[in-house]
Amino acid sequence: MAYGAAAAPAEQQDWPAYGGQDGTHYSSLSQINRDNVKKLVVAWKYDTGEKGGIEASPIIVGKVLYATTPRRSVIALDAASGKLIWRFEFDLQGQVLTRGVSYWSDGHQSRIFAGARNYLYALDAATGKVIPSFGENGRIDLRKGLREPYQQQSVELTTPGSIYKDLIIVGGANPETHPAPPGDVRAFDVRTGALRWTFHTIPRPGEFGFDTWPKDAWKNAGAANNWAGMTVDPKRGIVYVPTGSAVFDFYGGDRIGNDLFADSLIALDASTGKRIWHFQGVHHDLWDRDFPAPPAMVTVTRDGKRIDAIAQTTKSGLLFVFDRSTGKSLFPIQELPFPPSNVPGEVTSPTQPLPTAPAPYTQQSTTIDTLTNRTPEAHAWAVKQFSTMIGGGQFVPPSVDKLTIDMPGFAGGGEWGGTAVDPSTGVLYVNANDTAWLVGLTVPPPPGSLGERVYQNQCSGCHGINRAGSPPAIPALWGIEGILTEQEIAGIIRQGRGRMPPFNSLSDEQVQAVVRYLTKAPQQQQRPPKPNAHAAAAASAEPVAAEGAGASHATDDMPYKTIGFRRFTDPDGYPATAPPWGTLSAIDLNTGKYLWKIPFGEYPELVAKGMANTGSDNYGGPVVTAGGLIFIGATVFDQKFHAYDKSTGKLLWETKLPFSGLATPATYLVNGKQYVVIAAGGGQSSRKPSGGVYVAFALP
């Protein structure tokens, strides 16, 4: 419950924060249960009328549902009918990606806090009007205070801030390339917008962890940022902050050292920002191994004693569980050796930390025995490709001019949807991607123009030196001159789009040079092979950067760029490794043992050919209830919303959504009736249209 809010009456139960209460995605509601879930029907729909996909998890307070739209609005709906109460539209150009809003009340006034690009807005919860006394005319510019000149910094608040008493605590998503600001964690006064404290994730002189970076890194290194959100323990006054990688993601010759506090879970005093304890999950990250979601608070039984714990999911498919107060791991963690890099100038960490339990919830390596057998032709192709690549598993460093198979891939393992935890049992539920990606480094050819040089430095990290991208999630940039005007391309570079951040540091001359390079590059440059129907995506697809990454030392001086950074798929566009390609697991945190694990997600066209239960890409997390249920959308290709038996993993009910439900649902009680609501927007690696519809279900 938001700080200061009155207790909900028996006929009403809220879902007042992103991730529910305590980051657990848990509800004590049981009106909808194992016995009647098959009777669920649509209670209401609200179509935002916008395209572009939506990943938001709504919050529900006092019979009002607060949410965001795919483009640039905050909405308040009647939670029982879905009727619009108010709508606030950000005064910003282009699309704004955000996964929801935050709610605060002192019992007299109530506020909604919404991030939009580099701004944090405060709105009156009753009217949706901006509160002028907050910050500068109702908003804070989050670029200010990070690094000067602030106008050239780029930070976006894609995940809602966390509320503690009269503070809102925020991180932000940073760009992929230099210049990028540091990933400072900051707390602002909810009434005035005044800055109350800052924690530097790239330590400054005299701060803990400073010696894990080169001495001047704090001046010019970027990221190590919290883009995924946080979890607050109001009883202890602790905020738990997961962070992502420092970058350049795949080369760290300019940031030799372990790079605290990148890839860490940090326990901070929520009132002051002082570090209480921390754990770093990846030393000197070269694999984009972010901690991608807020951790979940849980109480477990160990040797007959009850222990308040915090459980952190990872892109690596590893699960870490710590004592909430001390940071002591509840399961032994071993520092195991891994191979050094053969890239000149790179110095990898000799060891990485791995928990002895629970076992990883995704595959940890790719071998010739784990390649696809979908068809004999696909298998033969995968074997041939595998012979040209570097296999192995976790923490194999990228190489120059040769692709390394990264497993789990850059999209997880676990992703931003996070986990659900049942406090009555101590069981954690996690959905995961189980597909491989490819990465490699190359010494780029000398750029032939200003536009090519800027493209290599700013864009090739995602879209590749050859502009091939990784369609459809990361579009190819060949042929966009026939789809977008030069003005539209320049606008996307300036304003960002989807997860692609705005490039505020580029001058008008540099932007126009990139536009000329993209639209007028010599046609004799080698194009990538024409993609097949399944893998194809139009160049007008939403650009996507690997969320949460940051920048490193001056990129103009970086000796390597990425080749690869794309999915390892067969010629028909399906994963080139063997299924399952997505999973849903139940892990008993009291023992570290798995209760069950099932394939999660399907490709409808493969099901029609008799190939079901393959699993698939999935984004958005689960919700678990006292009614014995797990509710989850998340599956990219089949557009389904599912209910599983939390004890067995048995599918009890599913329905098709207007678009894929790539968001975490919420459940609540209004006027004595339980509802389950999910945002359906599509997107990610699906070829299907995207939109933005909220769909609520209830019993007849």
Side-chain angles (χ1 to χ4, degrees):
M1 182 173 294
Y3 175 76
E11 72 276 5
Q12 177 185 329
Q13 188 175 116
D14 296 344
W15 188 271
Y18 181 76
Q21 197 72 21
D22 302 333
T24 60
H25 297 196
Y26 172 78
S27 171
S28 61
L29 295 176
S30 58
Q31 185 181 98
I32 303 170
N33 54 53
R34 294 182 180 97
D35 297 329
N36 60 25
V37 67
K38 59 182 177 293
K39 298 179 182 178
L40 281 184
V41 296
V42 174
W44 56 259
K45 290 183 182 179
Y46 179 81
D47 191 340
T48 65
E50 299 176 358
K51 304 299 180 184
I54 186 169
E55 298 175 347
S57 179
I59 62 173
I60 298 89
V61 182
K63 301 183 182 181
V64 179
L65 181 149
Y66 302 96
T68 56
T69 73
R71 291 290 172 176
R72 52 180 180 272
S73 297
V74 179
I75 54 175
L77 306 178
D78 183 301
S81 68
K83 292 181 179 179
L84 182 68
I85 298 172
W86 55 254
R87 183 183 187 112
F88 170 79
E89 187 163 316
F90 302 113
D91 185 22
L92 300 170
Q93 297 297 314
Q95 184 180 359
V96 174
L97 172 70
T98 179
R99 297 198 173 105
V101 297
S102 307
Y103 174 84
W104 170 85
S105 177
D106 62 0
H108 302 287
Q109 58 175 316
S110 302
R111 297 186 174 188
I112 295 295
F113 293 93
R117 300 227 186 93
N118 52 283
Y119 294 107
L120 174 64
Y121 289 78
L123 310 177
D124 186 300
T127 66
K129 302 294 185 182
V130 166
I131 299 173
S133 59
F134 179 81
E136 298 174 285
N137 299 315
R139 69 185 189 183
I140 298 170
D141 189 337
L142 296 174
R143 297 175 300 177
K144 293 184 176 181
L146 293 177
R147 191 171 283 160
E148 293 296 335
Y150 81 87
Q151 297 92 337
Q152 295 182 11
Q153 306 307 312
S154 181
V155 61
E156 295 185 273
L157 190 59
T158 54
T159 303
S162 293
I163 301 293
Y164 176 70
K165 294 186 177 180
D166 60 350
L167 300 177
I168 181 166
I169 308 170
V170 301
N174 292 15
E176 292 286 350
T177 54
H178 181 85
D184 291 355
V185 180
R186 292 175 287 177
F188 296 94
D189 188 295
V190 295
R191 293 181 175 87
T192 66
L195 178 66
R196 296 271 288 273
W197 59 255
T198 300
F199 178 83
H200 301 124
T201 63
I202 301 177
R204 298 186 177 186
E207 295 178 342
F208 186 94
F210 175 75
D211 59 351
T212 68
W213 297 76
K215 66 176 183 177
D216 290 330
W218 66 278
K219 298 179 181 178
N220 45 44
N225 52 317
N226 169 262
W227 59 266
M230 313 172 197
T231 299
V232 173
D233 183 340
K235 177 182 175 181
R236 288 172 174 78
I238 298 176
V239 58
Y240 300 94
V241 183
T243 61
S245 58
V247 292
F248 180 51
D249 278 342
F250 309 113
Y251 175 77
D254 61 327
R255 51 177 174 86
I256 298 302
N258 278 359
D259 304 330
L260 284 178
F261 291 91
D263 304 283
S264 298
L265 179 61
I266 317 165
L268 302 178
D269 184 312
S271 295
T272 66
K274 300 296 184 183
R275 183 186 67 90
I276 299 171
W277 59 262
H278 78 276
F279 167 77
Q280 186 176 53
V282 183
H283 310 316
H284 192 74
D285 188 0
L286 302 176
W287 306 273
D288 191 23
R289 291 302 191 199
D290 303 346
F291 280 6
M297 296 199 294
V298 61
T299 301
V300 301
T301 301
R302 182 65 58 82
D303 298 326
K305 297 180 180 179
R306 299 287 281 167
I307 300 174
D308 289 344
I310 190 91
Q312 178 66 59
T313 185
T314 68
K315 280 189 178 181
S316 303
L318 306 174
L319 185 69
F320 294 98
V321 187
F322 304 99
D323 183 292
R324 225 181 289 171
S325 297
T326 66
K328 180 181 178 181
S329 179
L330 271 60
F331 301 98
I333 295 175
Q334 298 177 321
E335 287 280 346
L336 298 180
F338 286 92
S341 173
N342 61 9
V343 176
E346 184 60 270
V347 181
T348 54
S349 171
T351 63
Q352 297 290 348
L354 276 76
T356 57
Y361 52 82
T362 58
Q363 299 178 59
Q364 296 291 290
S365 65
T366 302
T367 68
I368 197 167
D369 295 325
T370 64
L371 298 177
T372 180
N373 283 299
R374 186 180 59 83
T375 67
E377 294 79 12
H379 178 73
W381 179 91
V383 170
K384 182 177 180 181
Q385 294 297 311
F386 184 80
S387 68
T388 69
M389 300 171 179
I390 300 172
Q394 287 269 29
F395 307 124
V396 175
S399 293
V400 175
D401 294 327
K402 194 170 187 179
L403 291 173
T404 298
I405 303 175
D406 193 81
M407 186 71 174
F410 309 127
E415 257 292 345
W416 50 263
T419 62
V421 173
D422 187 336
S424 67
T425 61
V427 175
L428 177 142
Y429 303 90
V430 59
N431 56 302
N433 295 318
D434 224 338
T435 55
W437 284 55
L438 304 173
V439 67
L441 300 174
T442 187
V443 179
S449 66
L450 172 62
E452 185 175 1
R453 183 168 73 249
V454 175
Y455 174 87
Q456 285 184 4
N457 291 332
Q458 304 291 327
C459 314
S460 65
C462 286
H463 296 281
I465 289 289
N466 63 357
R467 295 189 276 160
S470 184
I474 302 174
L477 297 182
W478 290 101
I480 61 173
E481 68 276 10
I483 298 172
L484 301 173
T485 66
E486 293 188 4
Q487 184 177 8
E488 288 172 329
I489 297 170
I492 292 172
I493 296 171
R494 279 284 184 222
Q495 300 159 11
R497 191 175 183 184
R499 288 195 194 89
M500 174 177 148
F503 287 86
N504 298 325
S505 62
L506 297 182
S507 66
D508 291 341
E509 178 187 12
Q510 289 173 313
V511 170
Q512 292 305 315
V514 174
V515 172
R516 287 194 298 271
Y517 172 67
L518 293 177
T519 59
K520 298 179 173 64
Q523 293 304 303
Q524 66 266 26
Q525 291 191 49
Q526 183 180 1
R527 286 176 177 253
K530 184 178 180 180
N532 58 72
H534 181 78
S540 59
E542 297 295 338
V544 177
E547 183 177 12
S552 60
H553 211 289
T555 306
D556 283 344
D557 298 330
M558 296 296 285
Y560 305 103
K561 309 298 181 195
T562 52
I563 56 174
F565 191 63
R566 61 181 184 269
R567 297 173 186 271
F568 185 28
T569 54
D570 68 25
D572 294 319
Y574 298 103
T577 51
W581 299 322
T583 60
L584 179 63
S585 300
I587 307 172
D588 186 339
L589 296 183
N590 302 288
T591 63
K593 303 293 186 182
Y594 281 72
L595 300 182
W596 52 261
K597 185 175 185 178
I598 59 173
F600 180 55
E602 294 178 326
Y603 290 79
E605 68 275 16
L606 293 184
V607 174
K609 296 176 181 179
M611 191 174 178
N613 296 317
T614 58
S616 75
D617 283 358
N618 55 92
Y619 299 91
V623 162
V624 62
T625 76
L629 300 172
I630 299 167
F631 287 106
I632 186 169
T635 49
V636 170
F637 301 104
D638 60 22
Q639 296 184 222
K640 291 181 178 179
F641 187 41
H642 324 76
Y644 293 92
D645 186 313
K646 70 180 184 183
S647 298
T648 65
K650 179 183 178 181
L651 179 66
L652 300 178
W653 171 85
E654 65 181 11
T655 188
K656 191 171 183 180
L657 297 168
F659 305 94
S660 298
L662 310 186
T664 302
T667 186
Y668 57 95
L669 192 74
V670 171
N671 299 329
K673 191 168 190 173
Q674 184 182 356
Y675 297 82
V676 182
V677 63
I678 189 168
Q684 287 290 347
S685 46
S686 172
R687 294 180 293 117
K688 298 177 180 179
S690 62
V693 181
Y694 286 91
V695 186
F697 299 89
L699 296 173

